[in-house]
């Protein structure tokens, strides 16, 4: 699944670790999602959207 996670994180000046801490996941999980090697669970996708104040559809594209 395509996503804009890396760009959104960079706009806020957050490291992968900082985003991981906000989401209660590892830096490696953030990296895998950004590299589109891992699709987040639906609850995690909702958490990501909430952290950025966006809709899931604004971040993830099929």
């Amino acid at each position: 699944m395509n996503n804009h996670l890396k760009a959104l994180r960079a706009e806020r000046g957050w490291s992968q670790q900082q985003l991981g801490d906000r989401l209660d996941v590892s830096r490696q999980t953030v990296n895998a999602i950004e590299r589109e090697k891992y699709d987040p669970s639906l609850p995690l996708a909702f958490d990501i959207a909430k952290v950025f104040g966006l809709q899931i559809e604004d971040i993830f594209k099929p």
Side-chain angles (χ1 to χ4, degrees), residues 14 23 43-56 59:
W14 297 342
L23 297 169
L44 179 54
F46 274 109
D47 289 345
I48 291 168
K50 184 177 178 181
V51 163
F52 289 106
L54 299 170
Q55 299 293 314
I56 289 176
I59 302 170

Side-chain angles (χ1 to χ4, degrees), residues 2-59:
N2 297 326
N3 68 73
H4 306 288
L5 190 59
K6 185 174 183 176
L8 291 168
R9 180 179 57 76
E11 286 173 6
R12 287 156 179 80
W14 297 342
S15 69
Q16 289 179 341
Q17 183 65 55
Q18 289 170 317
L19 179 55
D21 290 346
R22 291 172 186 267
L23 297 169
D24 198 28
V25 299
S26 69
R27 179 199 61 79
Q28 291 86 350
T29 298
V30 173
N31 182 284
I33 295 170
E34 286 184 355
R35 293 177 43 229
E36 300 173 2
K37 301 291 183 187
Y38 170 74
D39 290 334
S41 65
L42 192 54
L44 179 54
F46 274 109
D47 289 345
I48 291 168
K50 184 177 178 181
V51 163
F52 289 106
L54 299 170
Q55 299 293 314
I56 289 176
E57 298 84 9
D58 296 330
I59 302 170

